[in-house]
Amino acid sequence: MSRFERFLTVWVGLCIVAGVGLGHLFPTAFQAIGAAEIARVNLPVAGLIWLMIVPMLMKVDFGAMRAVSRHWRGIGVTLFVNWAVKPFSMAALGAIFVGWLFRPYLPADQIDSYVAGLILLAAAPCTAMVFVWSNLTRGEPNFTLSQVAVNDAIMIVAFAPIVGLLLGLSAITVPWETLLLSVGLYIVVPVVLAQLLRKALLRRGGEAELQRVLARIGPVSLTALLATLVLLFGFQGEQILSQPAIIAMLAVPILIQVYLNAGLAYLLNRATGEAHCVAGPSALIGASNFFELAVAAAISLFGFSSGAALATVVGVLVEVPVMLTVVAIVNRSRGWYERGAAVRRVAVTESGAPLSR
């Protein structure tokens, strides 16, 4: 990792502080930026997300996508964690912490709303920032893109039924415009743009030219990530400063959920023999959340000032710093991971080489 990447946690912390402070000092300016949206998708944030993920998507070789099928173990593990574990584990954690342990310290009329917000947060896997996390773990880019595409397809049909089941609603109003526009802005358009740039660079100077440009624009992604944090925390600065104790309590189940699901995905990939370059992004996709959709759904169902909306905002607060710790754990445990018996056995089977002792 570059020196800039090694200190990314420090930069993230400074940007969170800066965002909260600037949002408190200049609320009108941040309200104006926050109002620049279509179907509750903020356009300035979408632009920054493009800058984040386009360089990563330029690494994707669609000619090699057929090889992703050999990573069926990682795809299966991620789908299992995302759709069979994460929403239900969050519902259980919300009931334990918000509905029981912290109940005496929270507004009684918002308990159910807080739990609903946590469920909305966990029911939609992340679609954009996982490209950043995957890149930081040197993850397989073709796998990451394929997994995100599969999750998006499932989310369109499964988000409403899962949330409706867990919230006990006979029908849930899904902000379909937000969901479809987000998929278009965060996946379809960046993929098309990145592939056009990739083909142009390969025509101009081959693989060497592509790698030279990728090395030059690499810092742009992380800079865009930091700028996105300043905006996101600037938008929510007042809520964060006015309710710090409630935010701390809501953060507890979110923190546990991230580490629980990331750890489960990572260990299942190791047990099934999946390569580390797939297990890393699989764990990160299994733990991260599509907070743009969660916030929009919470506001649509419960209102802007509801406990559900606040709970999804806490998800934004927790997401980036915690995911950076997961990235660090995945990177530092690579040697341990690759010593796993199943990982070595599958690697030998696929390579045809004898198993060394």
Side-chain angles (χ1 to χ4, degrees), residues 143-338:
F143 166 80
T144 304
L145 177 62
S146 299
Q147 184 68 73
V148 169
V150 171
N151 272 338
D152 284 343
I154 294 174
M155 183 161 48
I156 290 173
V157 297
F159 178 77
I162 288 176
V163 173
L165 172 66
L166 292 174
L167 296 185
L169 302 177
S170 58
I172 179 174
T173 303
V174 176
W176 291 108
E177 288 183 349
T178 301
L179 176 58
L180 296 176
L181 183 59
S182 295
V183 170
L185 282 177
Y186 299 149
I187 302 299
V188 178
V189 173
V191 165
V192 172
L193 180 59
Q195 288 302 300
L196 290 175
L197 291 171
R198 175 186 173 89
K199 290 179 180 179
L201 290 171
L202 289 174
R203 282 197 302 267
R204 189 171 72 183
E207 185 67 25
E209 176 69 6
L210 174 63
Q211 295 304 320
R212 185 186 67 81
V213 172
L214 286 174
R216 178 176 294 181
I217 66 176
V220 172
S221 295
L222 295 181
T223 302
L225 169 63
L226 298 177
T228 302
L229 290 178
V230 173
L231 284 184
L232 290 176
F233 285 96
F235 297 155
Q236 306 297 338
E238 290 300 317
Q239 288 200 67
I240 293 170
L241 290 174
S242 64
Q243 304 181 76
I246 293 177
I247 286 170
M249 285 184 278
L250 292 175
V252 172
I254 297 174
L255 284 169
I256 295 174
Q257 184 254 358
V258 169
Y259 289 122
L260 171 68
N261 289 290
L264 177 62
Y266 197 52
L267 292 174
L268 286 175
N269 275 291
R270 189 174 189 262
T272 59
E274 189 56 87
H276 186 268
C277 65
V278 169
S282 173
L284 295 159
I285 295 170
S288 55
N289 304 304
F290 188 178
F291 54 76
E292 298 91 349
L293 175 61
V295 172
I299 292 172
S300 297
L301 287 169
F302 300 98
F304 186 81
S305 60
S306 66
L310 180 61
T312 58
V313 168
V314 177
V316 182
L317 177 66
V318 170
E319 173 101 356
V320 175
V322 175
M323 293 305 293
L324 285 173
T325 67
V326 176
V327 167
I329 292 169
V330 167
N331 286 338
R332 292 176 183 176
S333 64
R334 178 167 184 165
W336 167 82
Y337 183 95
E338 293 182 339

